[in-house]
Amino acid sequence: MKNFNTYIQLSILLFSILFSSCVNDDSFFPEENTDNVISSAALVTVLNNFGDATNFPSENEQCFKFVYPITLGYNTNSTIRIDSYEGLADVISSQGVNFNVTGLQFPVQIVFRNTDVEVSITNEAALLNILRECEFDTVRDEFDRFFNNCFKLDYPVVLLNIDGNETNITSDEEFAIFYQNQGLTYQPEFKFPVNVLVAPNFESTSIDTYFGFFRITESCERRCPELNFTFEIEDRFNLGYQFTADFPDLIVLGTYDWFVDDQFIESDGPNNQGDNILIRDFEAPGTYIVCIKAETDSCPEGIEFCETIEVATVCPELFFESEQEPGTLNYSFVANFEGIDELTYQWLIDNELIEEDGGVNGDNMFFSEFSPGVHTVCIKTTTPSCPDGREFCKEIVVEPICPDLSFIIEQEGNTTGYNFTANFENIDTIIYEWEINGDVIEQDGGQGGDNMLFFQFDPGTYEICIRAETPTCPEGTQFCEELIIQ
């Protein structure tokens, strides 16, 4: 009776293969006892790596081969016994969304390529180790590679944790915590059906088995990725822009190139250990076309995404304030304008360059001692964003600061001899001259001066003066008294 059932089962399978064009995914196999068939994501991974309907290597090319017969289980709760590699190839090729292999009856024996030693696989964990030894991409590998790029979870979803307990997850934050807590060896184990949002439009799709999961990841590899980038101005005066590649298929794509006005700039992407950022300082204001381009196996003619960048002329509005130090010809100047830390500029006095300032290391301050007169103080800059330059100037009218000279006159008795005594502020620091009728009599003042003059006059009219020149009073100042001698 058992042989008869197997015969019927194989006949139905062959019938479904031969007439697959006429039979939809609702084909089924006779119900059998599936108590010993274990749901196995690892088995689905094996079948996915072994081949598909269009590409099926020979058994000797596979990493390992099964020792037949083996019993497989379907998502319809039916089972099938496979007696050869050809039969396994037929089963794999005939799978569809509604009819696919989900489990395996353990134990099974396998033989690695180029060996004759049979290895017993008794459970899911042992089969998972075979996947790693053969360097097959596991469900975990595919999930990590495509999650958030090819698909997202459409919450709520239910996953089994490492202890086999169901966990209801309702958000990305909950999933991130759950996923991290399971450890690096954890294989995502969903309670099907589960809804996922599939790129590029991230429409909700229901998958019932891991077969459906692998079909979604394969669709991501086959379709042309949609490229995109964003940009922002990093340094407006030096025309510095930052372009950041940002699209769901970034990890899947792996590599792409940056172009500016059809000129290749650099390769980027995860496969190039790239940062997915292009820093570009444009030479002058104008219109530029920035693109990212890529070629993939599914898109050999290439794909690209471009943006037209209008790099505008931006000139700073320069400004500074000035203040005179009381009692001196010293002035302080403080520059303050928007963007002062982003550019350098020059201080000029009467068209003479005094110093460079600005930028992150500038103090934006300037001090100078002037001579009396009219002076023009400017700050000036030329930047890539403002090639014609900008300047801001102030006319500084510097008035002389002269000492307020003074002396007193005292006659010596009834004689024609007179004593003159100078007395004014800062007399200890100012050098001055005594003059009578324009003739210099002596120099006085300062720390060594006695600030006194004695003179014996003849009858007549005399003009007695003290005269001083100082740095703040370069043209000099004087104080005079008229004296008439009888």
Side-chain angles (χ1 to χ4, degrees), residues 194-352:
V194 61
N195 291 330
V196 295
L197 306 173
V198 182
N201 298 322
F202 289 100
E203 297 177 352
S204 184
T205 301
S206 178
I207 55 176
D208 298 316
T209 64
Y210 288 107
F211 176 87
F213 169 77
F214 281 112
R215 298 295 76 77
I216 286 177
T217 59
E218 287 176 1
S219 70
C220 286
E221 291 182 312
R222 289 194 301 268
R223 67 178 176 82
C224 291
E226 295 187 2
L227 310 183
N228 196 7
F229 63 78
T230 60
F231 66 91
E232 58 184 345
I233 301 174
E234 289 288 298
D235 186 343
R236 54 183 169 166
F237 296 122
N238 290 308
L239 305 182
Y241 280 65
Q242 175 175 304
F243 300 87
T244 303
D246 181 20
F247 49 91
D249 296 318
L250 182 58
I251 297 178
V252 178
L253 179 62
T255 184
Y256 58 90
D257 299 323
W258 291 98
F259 290 81
V260 176
D261 291 342
D262 285 329
Q263 179 183 358
F264 170 77
I265 304 301
E266 65 178 44
S267 294
D268 208 338
N271 293 352
N272 294 308
Q273 297 182 337
D275 57 5
N276 302 309
I277 291 175
L278 174 67
I279 303 296
R280 183 72 174 179
D281 292 339
F282 293 100
E283 294 181 357
T287 300
Y288 300 86
I289 298 177
V290 179
C291 301
I292 51 177
K293 301 181 182 182
E295 293 182 6
T296 67
D297 293 338
S298 58
C299 301
E301 295 183 357
I303 47 178
E304 69 177 17
F305 174 83
C306 299
E307 286 275 13
T308 299
I309 309 300
E310 298 290 345
V311 180
T313 298
V314 179
C315 292
E317 296 296 328
L318 306 181
F319 182 76
F320 65 81
E321 295 178 336
S322 60
E323 184 177 0
Q324 184 178 10
E325 183 180 332
T328 72
L329 301 185
N330 296 329
Y331 280 71
S332 62
F333 301 88
V334 179
N336 185 18
F337 53 87
E338 186 179 358
I340 196 168
D341 294 334
E342 302 174 38
L343 54 82
T344 59
Y345 58 91
Q346 301 82 41
W347 290 99
L348 300 98
I349 298 178
D350 297 333
N351 290 322
E352 181 182 354

Side-chain angles (χ1 to χ4, degrees), residues 2-3 30 67 92 209 281 292 294 416 451:
K2 181 178 180 181
N3 290 336
V67 178
I92 294 174
T209 64
D281 292 339
I292 51 177
T416 58
N451 303 306

